[in-house]
Amino acid sequence: MLRAMLFPSPPAPKFLPDQAITTERYQRYEDCTQDGRLTALAIPPALATLWQTKLGCHPGVRNAAAAGVVSLLTRLTISSFDQPIRVHRAVESTVGFELAHDRDAAGAVSRLFMNVWADVRGTPGRGSRDASPPGGRAPVLAGRAFAEHTFTRPFAPPDQRRVTSFAGIEGYPDLPVARYPSPAPSSAADAPAGATWQGELAADPVETMFTLDQTDANQHVNSLVYVRCFLDAVQRRLAAGSHPAKVRSKAIDIAYRKPCFVGDRVRAHVRLFTHGDHVGGAGFLAVDGEEAKPRCYIRVLFGP
């Protein structure tokens, strides 16, 4: 479990009853690897259960949206642990949120956040067959996610988009009590502590053009598509070297800077690193010629 937590995220607070929910859902067959471990990309869908339940009717969310203030996903940190679970049994997701603020070097409030944590538990086991009766085994922790959402006014003029107070928005405090020292987006392109870089940052030979298949109802490219693109690029680098094939993505950390839309073309820029018996890749996705201002920074960790 420790390896999968090399990409740091804040610990979950104690949630108030109206700020968390536990639900059950069934997985897709591809959500578990052949040895029963939960894939990293199978964890973020748990976050949606909070929006579909608690946040969908939360007065603060509704009143903020009416005022043109929304929380946009700006960072996502995922950890998939080594506990195998049964893919054909329901998984249990406990998801909660907390409002928070950050301050600049002068002490002034600089941003407001909605931070969301998710724990995903499943029935322990391996393989698609299980002779034990349903409900016969207590759920075990298989994956965890942290999602940073930054409040903004996306449709306001550029100099009015930053949100530093909820004053006048019923259902939210004027200023959240919790302090969240948000890391710089570029930190998602750093190797984790204790890792060793292998080679130099290099552009992937494959350019990806986004079509409607990569979009969602938010009218832009889905947040997990960037992760898939980068994972594919890292796997191409691994295949070109002497790395073993029996590895899987165990941790992902991505900071989103700018959305992509249908027709945009991006390329991954990857630098490999090693950490013990694990290997990873860190870098960014950018449109050619815009490498200084990438669409996202991202790092991933692979291990046995």
Side-chain angles (χ1 to χ4, degrees), residues 86 88-89 123-134 137:
R86 299 287 180 182
H88 63 301
R89 299 295 178 87
T123 302
R126 180 178 286 112
S128 61
R129 295 181 175 83
D130 188 356
S132 64
R137 300 181 184 179

Side-chain angles (χ1 to χ4, degrees), residues 58-71 151-152 154-155 169-170 172:
H58 192 284
V61 173
R62 293 195 172 198
N63 292 327
V69 175
V70 297
S71 60
F151 282 95
T152 183
F155 305 111
I169 298 178
E170 187 177 355
Y172 280 160

Side-chain angles (χ1 to χ4, degrees), residues 159-179:
D159 61 344
Q160 299 176 28
R161 291 176 184 169
R162 181 169 296 199
V163 177
T164 57
S165 173
F166 290 135
I169 298 178
E170 187 177 355
Y172 280 160
D174 288 1
L175 181 67
V177 174
R179 173 78 183 273

Side-chain angles (χ1 to χ4, degrees), residues 115-206:
N115 291 330
V116 182
W117 291 260
D119 281 354
V120 179
R121 293 176 168 82
T123 302
R126 180 178 286 112
S128 61
R129 295 181 175 83
D130 188 356
S132 64
R137 300 181 184 179
V140 291
L141 184 63
R144 176 169 286 163
F146 167 75
E148 169 199 286
H149 299 76
T150 303
F151 282 95
T152 183
R153 297 181 181 88
F155 305 111
D159 61 344
Q160 299 176 28
R161 291 176 184 169
R162 181 169 296 199
V163 177
T164 57
S165 173
F166 290 135
I169 298 178
E170 187 177 355
Y172 280 160
D174 288 1
L175 181 67
V177 174
R179 173 78 183 273
Y180 167 61
S182 59
S186 59
S187 64
D190 295 338
T196 302
W197 287 116
Q198 303 293 323
E200 299 299 324
L201 183 72
D204 187 68
V206 176

Side-chain angles (χ1 to χ4, degrees), residues 246-264:
K246 283 196 173 182
V247 294
R248 69 185 186 97
S249 54
K250 303 178 74 171
I252 297 166
D253 186 31
I254 178 169
Y256 301 94
R257 285 195 63 257
K258 182 180 178 181
C260 289
F261 301 91
V262 170
D264 285 347

Side-chain angles (χ1 to χ4, degrees), residues 34-252:
Q34 66 182 33
D35 58 13
R37 291 179 291 178
L38 193 63
T39 65
L41 285 176
I43 299 168
L47 299 167
T49 62
L50 186 71
W51 291 94
Q52 294 161 353
T53 54
K54 297 290 185 179
L55 292 178
C57 57
H58 192 284
V61 173
R62 293 195 172 198
N63 292 327
V69 175
V70 297
S71 60
L72 299 182
L73 179 65
T74 46
R75 192 159 190 146
L76 179 62
T77 307
I78 309 166
S79 298
S80 174
F81 304 135
D82 286 334
Q83 171 65 54
I85 61 173
R86 299 287 180 182
V87 69
H88 63 301
R89 299 295 178 87
V91 292
E92 177 186 278
S93 301
T94 299
V95 191
F97 78 95
E98 180 182 65
L99 300 178
H101 73 277
D102 197 5
R103 295 179 181 271
D104 60 23
V109 175
S110 57
R111 285 183 175 83
L112 301 182
F113 301 92
M114 176 181 287
N115 291 330
V116 182
W117 291 260
D119 281 354
V120 179
R121 293 176 168 82
T123 302
R126 180 178 286 112
S128 61
R129 295 181 175 83
D130 188 356
S132 64
R137 300 181 184 179
V140 291
L141 184 63
R144 176 169 286 163
F146 167 75
E148 169 199 286
H149 299 76
T150 303
F151 282 95
T152 183
R153 297 181 181 88
F155 305 111
D159 61 344
Q160 299 176 28
R161 291 176 184 169
R162 181 169 296 199
V163 177
T164 57
S165 173
F166 290 135
I169 298 178
E170 187 177 355
Y172 280 160
D174 288 1
L175 181 67
V177 174
R179 173 78 183 273
Y180 167 61
S182 59
S186 59
S187 64
D190 295 338
T196 302
W197 287 116
Q198 303 293 323
E200 299 299 324
L201 183 72
D204 187 68
V206 176
E207 181 185 64
T208 298
M209 183 187 77
F210 295 123
T211 65
L212 286 172
D213 282 344
Q214 284 83 46
T215 62
D216 60 25
N218 287 325
Q219 308 301 305
H220 52 64
V221 172
N222 181 266
S223 58
L224 293 185
V225 168
Y226 305 89
V227 179
R228 294 188 183 98
C229 288
F230 197 79
L231 287 173
D232 287 346
V234 173
Q235 288 171 335
R236 283 190 285 271
R237 290 286 297 274
L238 296 180
S242 57
H243 301 282
K246 283 196 173 182
V247 294
R248 69 185 186 97
S249 54
K250 303 178 74 171
I252 297 166

